[in-house]
């Protein structure tokens, strides 16, 4: 590392200044400048300030929903990814089916589908199950059964439905990331694990996954950024995240320009700082390899 | 080969019994009707040209490949039987690979302790004690906390041997353990293997190191095109090979 930076510096000194200018990351400077401009407006202009203060609450929901959904997507994605590399035909087929189905449907449609079709269906099932359980339940189970039987669709918050939708949609993408990571580990690793007596599951758990997960951290980071942006879609479910609050602020103040400038600015702050973090992580791992 | 059908029944002394074993990959017949017995405490040396099925035969013994037909009994357990838990057999059979296959995310110590803890259910302390003892034995006690990528090939292979030995295996399998090593490192690996042989470990060694065979092997098996061409005591095979093909091969490599 140190050696290459040195030669880079020496070479760049030899370049004519016109070429050196073309190597400056102008795009980053321009974004920085625009960002500074928005910050300036937020400080000096009351309309911008008003929009900013109104929208900040949405940023919190956006971050919270993204974090929870991504965490759930990782867990489900890992299970599906293990299915994709499994020799068990049933496990493999179910995982593949799920992944292909979900990846073939636009996320917006998936979100609506989970909120308005899957959740009500699941609730109907719960009601039916609760009723059936109430007939046979004893002791503390009675209360639980009754709760299940009477749970109404209005009781399921839109935030919950949005998180469910995002998690199930992104699980399909993360599954493919995990599958690629697992398959990138040399076959000899599992063979060595088996040859010291580990089961397939132990080999995965203690030998393959620790290596695979390290390798997929950068793509997972990028997917988290993608999810953060896609979380704007849950505004169709009227979840009070950043985009939805943008709509509300526009309706409240009729300041289209200031509102959406601030919304875009807030998203950019989140995504750009995350992508800098991911790039840093990528570079550190390339160095360690 | 010639006396198949009239072989004596396996005795308690035969820790590995292979009879009429066949294994193909698609159209390629890797092992054809191989029969072989290894006694407790014996060092069996398998050699032959590339692609002859040496690795496949070895990998069948610890179940990394599943034989198509034939019988394979390891320490009294019929490995080819469907209901046998192959993991139990594998814990008793250590394997050393050509490319070491150390776990890169674990230190030398971690490589040696992980299976002890997860498979043998030893305590961390006990596993580490065993690991340090074995590192001492393979001559690198100071490398306990080093990761595999900072070790030379010879050192990696010695850690790999320690990893296998930590499970107290009854049999050790070696698949060309020195083929990926620079000449100056071959000796340090062979020395450990020689020590093992002296201590009475049952070993099945696939290798081209004829010097090792002379020094340590009790019996030698010549494998070509998936078939056991010749099998004899070491001195006999070197001095007086019966098969023409064995003679030709030996004259090429000696
Ligand atoms: N997993 C596999 N899939 C397909 N063919 C295989 C596989 N493993 C081995 N073979 C084939 O089986 C034959 C025997 O291979 P094997 O590796 O056992 O030979 P070998 O004697 O160990 O050779 P080498 O000295 O090169 O290691 C070869 O023709 C090889 O191409
Ligand atoms: Mg081989």
């Amino acid at each position: 590392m140190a050696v290459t930076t040195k030669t880079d510096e020496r070479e760049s000194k030899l370049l004519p200044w016109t070429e050196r200018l073309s190597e400056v990351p102008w795009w980053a400077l321009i974004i920085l400048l625009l960002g500074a401009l928005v910050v300036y407006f937020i400080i000096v202009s009351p309309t911008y300030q008003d929009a900013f203060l109104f929208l900040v609450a949405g940023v919190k929901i956006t971050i919270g929903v993204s974090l929870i959904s991504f965490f759930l997507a990782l867990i489900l994605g890992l299970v599906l990814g293990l299915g994709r590399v499994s020799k068990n035909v049933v496990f493999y087929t179910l995982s593949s089916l799920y992944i292909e189905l979900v990846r073939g449907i636009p996320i917006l449609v998936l979100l609506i589908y989970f909120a308005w079709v899957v959740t009500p269906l699941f609730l109907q099932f719960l009601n039916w199950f609760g009723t059936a359980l109430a007939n046979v339940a004893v002791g503390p189970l009675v209360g639980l059964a009754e709760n299940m039987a009477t749970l109404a669709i209005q009781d399921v918050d839109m935030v919950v439905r949005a998180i469910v939708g995002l998690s199930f949609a992104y699980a399909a993408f993360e599954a493919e990331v995990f599958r690629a990571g697992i398959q990138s580990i040399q076959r000899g690793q599992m063979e060595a694990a088996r040859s010291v007596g580990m089961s397939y599951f132990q080999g995965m758990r203690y030998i393959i996954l620790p290596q695979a997960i390290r390798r997929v951290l950068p793509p997972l980071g990028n997917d988290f950024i993608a999810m953060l942006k896609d979380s704007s879609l849950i505004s169709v479910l009227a979840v009070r995240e950043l985009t939805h609050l943008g709509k509300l602020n526009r309706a409240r103040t009729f300041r289209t320009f200031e509102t959406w400038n601030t919304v875009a600015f807030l998203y950019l702050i989140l995504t750009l700082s995350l992508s800098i973090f991911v790039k840093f992580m990528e570079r550190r791992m390339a160095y360690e390899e | 080969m010639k006396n198949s059908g009239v072989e004596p029944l396996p005795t308690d002394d035969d820790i590995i019994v292979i009879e009429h074993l066949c294994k193909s990959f698609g159209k390629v017949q890797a092992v054809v009707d191989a029969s072989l017995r290894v006694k407790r405490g014996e060092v069996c040396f398998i050699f032959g040209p590339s692609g002859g099925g040496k690795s496949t035969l070895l990998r069948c013994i610890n179940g990394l490949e599943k034989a198509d037909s034939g019988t394979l009994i390891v320490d009294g357990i019929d490995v080819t039987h469907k209901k046998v838990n192959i993991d139990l057999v594998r814990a008793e059979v250590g394997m050393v690979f050509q490319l070491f296959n150390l776990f890169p995310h674990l230190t030398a110590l971690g490589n040696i302790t992980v299976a002890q803890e997860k498979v043998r259910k030893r305590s961390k302390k006990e596993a580490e004690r065993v690991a340090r003892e074995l590192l001492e034995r393979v001559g690198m006690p100071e490398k306990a906390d080093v990761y595999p990528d900072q070790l030379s090939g010879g050192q990696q292979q010695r850690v790999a041997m320690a990893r296998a030995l930590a499970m107290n295996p009854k049999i050790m399998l070696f698949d060309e353990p020195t083929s990926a090593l620079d000449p100056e490192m071959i000796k340090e690996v062979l020395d450990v293997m020689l020590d093992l042989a002296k201590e009475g470990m049952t070993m099945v060694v696939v290798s081209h190191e004829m010097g090792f065979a002379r020094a340590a092997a009790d019996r030698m098996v010549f494998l070509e095109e998936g078939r056991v061409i010749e099998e004899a005591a070491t001195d006999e095979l070197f001095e007086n090979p019966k098969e023409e093909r064995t003679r030709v091969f030996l004259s090429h490599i000696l």
Side-chain angles (χ1 to χ4, degrees):
Chain A
M1 277 294 277
V3 179
T4 47
T5 1
K6 246 182 207 156
T7 46
D8 283 353
E9 271 170 21
R10 198 173 339 110
E11 273 169 15
S12 67
K13 281 205 184 85
L14 296 175
L15 289 173
W17 65 273
T18 44
E19 274 186 42
R20 249 189 288 161
L21 272 185
S22 69
E23 279 182 4
V24 175
W26 292 109
W27 58 270
L29 289 181
I30 292 171
I31 290 178
L32 218 64
L33 206 74
L34 289 177
L37 209 64
V38 177
V39 172
Y40 173 76
F41 279 133
I42 289 171
I43 293 169
V44 299
S45 144
T47 39
Y48 267 101
Q49 207 167 58
D50 181 43
F52 177 78
L53 292 175
F54 186 79
L55 291 169
V56 163
V59 173
K60 283 182 202 151
I61 302 281
T62 291
I63 293 177
V65 165
S66 301
L67 279 176
I68 296 173
S69 306
F70 198 68
F71 177 73
L72 295 175
L74 283 182
I75 294 175
L76 184 57
L78 180 59
V79 174
L80 291 168
L82 286 171
R84 286 286 264 186
V85 298
S86 170
K87 287 204 184 78
N88 182 318
V89 181
V90 177
F91 192 19
Y92 172 81
T93 306
L94 286 178
S95 306
S96 303
L97 183 70
Y98 179 87
I99 291 166
E100 295 304 334
L101 279 181
V102 167
R103 287 201 309 176
I105 301 173
I107 293 194
L108 184 54
V109 177
L110 276 175
L111 288 172
I112 295 169
Y113 197 82
F114 270 101
W116 296 114
V117 180
V118 176
T119 313
L121 275 179
F122 182 67
L123 232 69
Q124 271 181 24
F125 169 76
L126 269 191
N127 290 345
W128 169 83
F129 186 74
T131 317
L133 190 67
N135 289 333
V136 293
V138 281
L141 272 180
V142 175
L144 181 75
E146 273 167 10
N147 278 339
M148 273 196 208
T150 55
L151 198 63
I153 184 73
Q154 305 87 276
D155 297 339
V156 185
D157 198 291
M158 271 304 168
V159 177
V160 174
R161 299 193 217 182
I163 288 174
V164 168
L166 276 176
S167 315
F168 276 93
Y170 262 74
F173 302 121
E174 303 330 311
E176 287 299 271
V177 172
F178 282 121
R179 179 194 56 75
I182 291 169
Q183 286 179 339
S184 77
I185 306 298
Q186 302 91 306
R187 237 182 60 187
Q189 289 292 307
M190 182 54 102
E191 292 185 347
R194 300 306 297 270
S195 79
V196 282
M198 289 192 199
S199 64
Y200 177 83
F201 182 79
Q202 286 177 319
M204 269 293 162
R205 164 80 180 75
Y206 300 111
I207 307 303
I208 307 295
L209 284 180
Q211 298 179 55
I213 285 172
R214 272 177 59 91
R215 272 192 208 180
V216 298
L217 280 180
L220 289 183
N222 285 326
D223 279 6
F224 180 68
I225 296 173
M227 176 181 271
L228 198 110
K229 290 188 286 180
D230 279 347
S231 72
S232 64
L233 294 172
I234 65 175
S235 59
V236 297
L237 304 180
V239 173
R240 296 175 68 85
E241 47 71 66
L242 183 49
T243 305
H244 188 64
L245 285 197
K247 285 186 204 163
L248 292 183
N249 192 58
R250 222 274 333 171
R252 185 178 66 111
T253 61
F254 298 105
R255 296 283 187 173
T256 308
F257 208 79
E258 291 86 343
T259 301
W260 295 111
N261 266 347
T262 313
V263 169
F265 167 76
L266 288 170
Y267 272 117
L268 271 172
I269 292 214
L270 294 178
T271 54
L272 287 179
S273 45
L274 277 170
S275 91
I276 287 170
F277 174 70
V278 171
K279 284 217 177 75
F280 166 78
M281 202 161 64
E282 261 170 354
R283 204 170 302 162
R284 226 190 70 174
M285 290 188 45
Y287 173 73
E288 277 174 14
E289 287 275 305
Chain B
M1 286 299 296
K2 269 131 259 115
N3 61 357
S4 55
V6 291
E7 282 162 25
L9 287 171
T11 66
D12 246 9
D13 229 19
D14 294 312
I15 194 164
I16 302 175
V17 179
I18 301 172
E19 263 162 26
H20 309 298
L21 196 80
C22 296
K23 172 71 188 175
S24 323
F25 298 101
K27 286 208 180 75
V28 182
Q29 291 191 301
V31 174
V32 189
D33 196 31
S35 298
L36 183 70
R37 281 174 191 197
V38 180
K39 285 191 175 16
R40 277 175 213 282
E42 193 173 53
V43 176
C44 176
F45 187 90
I46 301 179
F47 68 109
S50 181
K54 305 182 295 293
S55 300
T56 307
L57 183 61
L58 208 60
R59 292 158 57 84
C60 281
I61 295 176
N62 76 345
L64 285 180
E65 304 286 357
K66 210 174 165 309
D68 300 330
S69 63
T71 316
L72 177 56
I73 297 169
V74 178
D75 196 25
I77 301 173
D78 185 347
V79 180
T80 42
H81 200 279
K82 275 196 192 71
K83 294 230 173 73
V84 163
N85 180 359
I86 190 74
D87 296 336
L88 295 180
V89 179
R90 284 206 191 96
E92 307 301 328
V93 181
M95 176 129 182
V96 176
F97 300 87
Q98 181 172 2
L99 296 174
F100 330 132
N101 294 351
L102 286 184
F103 307 133
H105 62 300
L106 300 175
T107 60
L109 199 75
N111 266 275
I112 307 173
T113 53
V114 62
Q116 292 188 68
E117 288 176 38
K118 306 305 174 194
V119 180
R120 287 275 189 251
K121 310 286 180 205
R122 289 179 191 155
S123 70
K124 191 175 159 70
K125 210 172 135 211
E126 168 70 359
E128 284 189 2
R129 189 187 60 74
V130 172
R132 285 186 198 282
E133 224 172 79
L134 282 165
L135 279 174
E136 184 89 43
R137 179 157 155 204
V138 298
M140 38 193 301
E142 75 288 358
K143 300 289 186 191
D145 300 319
V146 173
Y147 284 89
D149 60 359
Q150 287 160 316
L151 295 172
S152 73
Q155 291 171 330
Q156 288 190 51
Q157 193 62 299
R158 283 185 282 156
V159 173
M161 283 191 272
R163 175 178 69 182
L165 289 171
M167 302 297 290
N168 304 106
K170 294 180 177 154
I171 305 168
M172 284 284 285
L173 309 176
F174 295 83
D175 191 1
E176 308 205 26
T178 56
S179 297
L181 297 179
D182 293 335
E184 71 268 21
M185 292 169 191
I186 291 179
K187 189 173 172 300
E188 65 192 45
V189 170
L190 289 182
D191 282 347
V192 176
M193 291 172 61
L194 281 171
D195 280 348
L196 264 182
K198 262 186 222 131
E199 287 162 24
M201 173 66 78
T202 309
M203 295 162 70
V204 181
V205 183
V206 170
S207 172
H208 300 293
E209 294 293 335
M210 290 303 164
F212 173 82
R214 255 187 222 283
D218 298 299
R219 242 153 21 92
M220 295 179 72
V221 179
F222 179 55
L223 215 62
E224 194 179 59
E225 288 169 0
R227 293 168 197 279
V228 176
I229 303 292
E230 185 165 358
E231 181 194 336
T234 305
D235 293 338
E236 197 181 318
L237 195 128
F238 272 121
E239 308 312 328
N240 191 12
K242 293 203 175 52
E243 300 289 326
E244 177 61 24
R245 285 196 271 180
T246 316
R247 224 169 290 154
V248 172
F249 185 80
L250 280 176
S251 71
H252 278 306
I253 93 168
L254 286 180

